[in-house]
Amino acid sequence: MKAGAENSLSIRVRGQVQGVGFRPFIWQLAREFGLRGQVLNDPEGVLIEAAGAGIDAFVAAIPLRAPLLARVDAVEVAPFDGELPEGFEIAASRGAGAETRVTPDAATCPACQEEIFSPGRREGYAFTNCTHCGPRFTILNGLPYDRAKTTMAAFPMCDDCRAEYQDPADRRFHAQPVACPVCGPRLWLWAEGREVAGDAVAETAGRLLAGEIVAVKGLGGFHLACDATDSEAILRLRQRKRRPAKPFALMATLAMIRSHALPSPEEEAYLADPAAPILLLPSRGTLPEGLAPGMTTLGFMLPYTPLHHLLMRAVGRPLVMTSGNLSGEPQVVGNDEALEKLAGFADAFLCHDRDIARRLDDSVERLTAQGPMVLRRARGRVPGTLPLPPGFEGAGQVVAYGGQMKAAICLLKNGQALLSHHLGELDEALTYEEFLKADADYAALFDHRPERVAVDLHPDFRATRHGRARAEVQGLRLVEVQHHHAHLAACLGENLWPLEGGKVAGIILDGLGLGPDGTVWGGEVLLGDYRGYERRFWLNPAPLVGGDRAQAEPWRNALVRLDQAGLADWADRLFPDQPRDPVRQAAAKGINAPLSSSAGRLFDAVAACLGLCPARQSYEGEAAMRLEALAARAPSTEGSYEFESSGTEIDPRPMFTALHADSLQGIAPERIAARFQIGLALAFANQARRLVESGEARAVALSGGCFQNPGLLAATVAALGDVPVLIQRKVPANDGGLALGQALIAAADTG
Ligand code: ZN
Ligand code: ZN
Ligand code: FE
């Protein structure tokens, strides 16, 4: 029947609208508003062709009532005069390349939570899910996203599950991983070389409460779990993992979190996000110090699979849930692999027979006064895409390979940036193998054929070598990007700063990145945009004596900075047992002592002066994180130490002089830490602000790993006053976001 005179429209919905229950939602909404017509998927998203008196109200309701996992970017309406069916139908997909979007894994929805704790066929079932929740990316073997291309292909649906799957009125309509105890995956507990008889969840809970460490197969890999209230179990886990101090992530219900931390209402809402990230929350100090030595925060996540919900209920207390891996290696995903590799860590193994297709760590995030902050971007966030800023509409396909640490790959295609999950530290051979796999995997999934390859300037990064080799073999254009220019561009990009938006002053406070002058940068004010930059101001450089050892041993950074400041005597008293003379000689002769303006190493130096792990850090960033935690305890009205700004250099010598004086006077270390942090923020903010006030820059952008310190971020934003500031909220400010900036710089490159 022809649509005719009645109000008849073609409605295009763009955004994350496939694989999230959008068509059944539209089907139900259309029936509610008495429309006839059809809804279907096509390469641009969802297309609705419909007619009826209620159509305007229907259009208005689409973004307001969209399903939990959907993200509606646009609803575009045009007149329609084609044929329409009598009723309202879900029609077949149209056009090649439809249903190419994959959504991130999502935490168990409230309806499924209720179902597993209520009488019925899924009571107590650990693999319950529906269209609004459950595994997605972690079970995906290929596109399009349907059951046959997931690790659920091994489990043919029973009649009851199939009926739900085929019913548009059911919340499991087209839920690819739908399952029940009759047809779906099975859980078992393995210990002492055999499958343990009885209920696997109850048996696991009993062992955890008895102080055992249990490897638990989750969504993106195995966790090692233990009772988070049991100091001895925590210590045992630390000893077995050879992880003396790095904070452990915790899983707990909201009620438990409230009794051990101080979440704000915003943080509580954020915990309940379908991504279910680990969120750093202020600790109440009621749990053992061994969970996060020296920290004022604890990283909590809510249970995010039915298995976790069942386990939490059975245990009734918070659990440590740390990645099941050998130090530095990728997280274990396979059952056999777990039994082999985690044998030395775990007393028992809670396994299941749904394979993990993609290894994904938990995402780590926090909320600050300046908004959300992503520390590690992984499960629940990938493969989400970011739109490109105005001016990049015509950008070709680009692949960018990031840095050596906190590796991540970025693909540009069709006006979108896809930033891969956190891939870890490429120093480790197995992690590098994972990186290569992820490269091939993302390229295949997103049918990516790059024209350009972007890499860091550092020739020895494994990611750089890989990108160079690929560019050469495939004849692609190679763009080498300075590390901190990439940080700046990543910040611009996520803030949708237009390609022609003009220059900004980038305050980049970071670890280490090679500069084109051959020195190591990391504390800079850059003036630039996607197309280029000038280095306008930088931290007065100091030698990194011993190269990598200068990174691991904070006292080395303190020694050279104190010597520069004329405080060699104090250094002698602070570090009596360290090999000071060889270090001083190497610094003087410049032997294995590259000059660096790194702000990260300045944090290490100050931390060592305050006695925070001076001899050796037990994990990367430990000294700076302990300093951050110390500063967070200071009164909010703390003063600051002045840096000297003359010419292009920002000189910390007066800061050390004042710090030394305070230390002699017995000023509390938390106040000293805060005064340093605020002084550093002021020194850089003042220079950047001048570039805006003189008209050279249009805004200030903040990036680099140091800005994951909320105290430093807040102090810098405060010091910038009413100058427009761009900060990173969705993409990590550390090297995890580097690839996005590299990709945008390569796309903008006209050379
Ligand atoms: Zn659900
Ligand atoms: Zn079933
Ligand atoms: Fe960096």
XYZ file of all heavy atoms in Angstrom, residues 121-122 125 147 155-162 164 178-184, ligand 2:
162
model
N 14.283 -20.709 34.937
C 15.248 -21.584 34.278
C 16.671 -21.025 34.270
O 17.622 -21.740 33.968
C 14.777 -21.970 32.871
C 14.733 -20.851 31.854
C 13.979 -21.321 30.599
N 14.258 -20.453 29.464
C 15.170 -20.719 28.535
N 15.889 -21.817 28.608
N 15.371 -19.877 27.546
N 16.839 -19.770 34.589
C 18.197 -19.224 34.655
C 18.641 -18.888 36.080
O 19.633 -18.201 36.279
C 18.321 -17.990 33.765
C 18.265 -18.325 32.272
C 18.729 -17.181 31.417
N 18.704 -17.524 30.001
C 17.641 -17.418 29.220
N 16.501 -16.960 29.713
N 17.699 -17.758 27.947
N 22.366 -19.175 37.018
C 23.098 -19.492 35.792
C 24.123 -18.400 35.458
O 23.779 -17.236 35.259
C 22.142 -19.703 34.614
C 22.880 -20.164 33.378
C 23.733 -21.268 33.430
C 22.767 -19.490 32.171
C 24.442 -21.685 32.318
C 23.465 -19.899 31.051
C 24.308 -20.999 31.134
O 25.019 -21.406 30.038
N 25.873 -15.090 16.065
C 26.341 -16.175 16.933
C 27.394 -17.062 16.265
O 28.354 -17.498 16.908
C 25.142 -17.012 17.368
C 25.448 -18.003 18.497
C 24.154 -18.702 18.875
N 24.262 -19.655 19.949
C 23.939 -19.410 21.208
N 23.552 -18.194 21.563
N 23.996 -20.362 22.111
N 27.728 -23.666 20.978
C 26.578 -23.999 21.833
C 25.268 -23.778 21.066
O 24.711 -22.692 21.114
C 26.587 -23.128 23.093
C 27.841 -23.259 23.903
C 28.899 -22.374 23.720
C 27.980 -24.275 24.836
C 30.060 -22.491 24.464
C 29.143 -24.400 25.582
C 30.181 -23.518 25.398
N 24.770 -24.821 20.355
C 23.495 -24.642 19.630
C 22.362 -24.309 20.607
O 22.283 -24.895 21.684
C 23.267 -26.008 18.979
C 24.575 -26.735 19.057
C 25.328 -26.159 20.225
N 21.536 -23.339 20.234
C 20.450 -22.907 21.116
C 19.421 -24.012 21.310
O 19.065 -24.700 20.357
C 19.714 -21.730 20.475
C 20.317 -20.381 20.726
S 19.312 -19.134 19.886
C 20.574 -18.331 18.921
N 18.905 -24.115 22.522
C 17.777 -25.014 22.778
C 16.496 -24.331 22.285
O 16.514 -23.160 21.933
C 17.690 -25.344 24.262
S 17.193 -23.937 25.276
N 15.381 -25.057 22.282
C 14.138 -24.496 21.745
C 13.679 -23.272 22.529
O 13.215 -22.293 21.951
C 13.034 -25.566 21.746
C 13.319 -26.653 20.707
O 14.190 -26.403 19.833
O 12.698 -27.722 20.770
N 13.823 -23.337 23.847
C 13.374 -22.200 24.667
C 14.197 -20.949 24.355
O 13.654 -19.845 24.237
C 13.515 -22.531 26.156
C 12.476 -23.545 26.608
O 11.473 -23.721 25.881
O 12.676 -24.161 27.669
N 15.517 -21.099 24.235
C 16.368 -19.946 23.946
C 16.089 -19.431 22.538
O 16.044 -18.227 22.294
C 17.845 -20.310 24.101
S 18.343 -20.449 25.839
N 15.868 -20.355 21.608
C 15.599 -19.935 20.235
C 14.290 -19.133 20.154
O 14.212 -18.135 19.428
C 15.552 -21.144 19.296
C 15.274 -20.776 17.842
C 15.616 -21.894 16.874
N 17.017 -22.269 16.957
C 18.021 -21.580 16.405
N 17.769 -20.478 15.720
N 19.264 -21.986 16.534
N 13.039 -17.237 22.430
C 13.326 -15.882 22.924
C 14.084 -15.076 21.868
O 13.790 -13.907 21.616
C 14.171 -15.954 24.207
C 13.462 -16.563 25.393
C 14.417 -16.879 26.554
O 15.613 -17.140 26.318
O 13.950 -16.862 27.693
N 22.811 -15.534 23.751
C 21.738 -16.070 24.586
C 22.044 -17.538 24.932
O 22.545 -18.284 24.104
C 20.357 -15.917 23.899
C 20.273 -16.739 22.625
C 19.236 -16.320 24.841
N 21.762 -17.895 26.167
C 22.100 -19.245 26.628
C 21.320 -19.560 27.893
O 20.778 -18.656 28.545
C 23.595 -19.348 26.929
N 21.262 -20.846 28.235
C 20.642 -21.276 29.484
C 21.357 -22.546 29.938
O 22.199 -23.074 29.209
C 19.138 -21.506 29.282
S 18.772 -23.019 28.394
N 21.035 -23.050 31.113
C 21.763 -24.248 31.599
C 21.585 -25.452 30.673
O 22.432 -26.346 30.669
C 21.125 -24.521 32.963
C 20.495 -23.241 33.374
C 20.097 -22.533 32.127
N 20.508 -25.483 29.888
C 20.286 -26.627 29.005
C 21.254 -26.606 27.829
O 21.821 -27.633 27.450
C 18.820 -26.632 28.491
C 18.615 -27.693 27.416
C 17.862 -26.826 29.656
N 21.462 -25.413 27.240
C 22.220 -25.353 25.988
C 23.547 -24.599 26.084
O 24.362 -24.673 25.180
C 21.360 -24.720 24.901
S 20.951 -22.980 25.209
N 23.764 -23.876 27.168
C 24.884 -22.939 27.179
C 26.132 -23.434 27.878
O 26.254 -24.612 28.229
Zn 18.955 -22.646 26.133
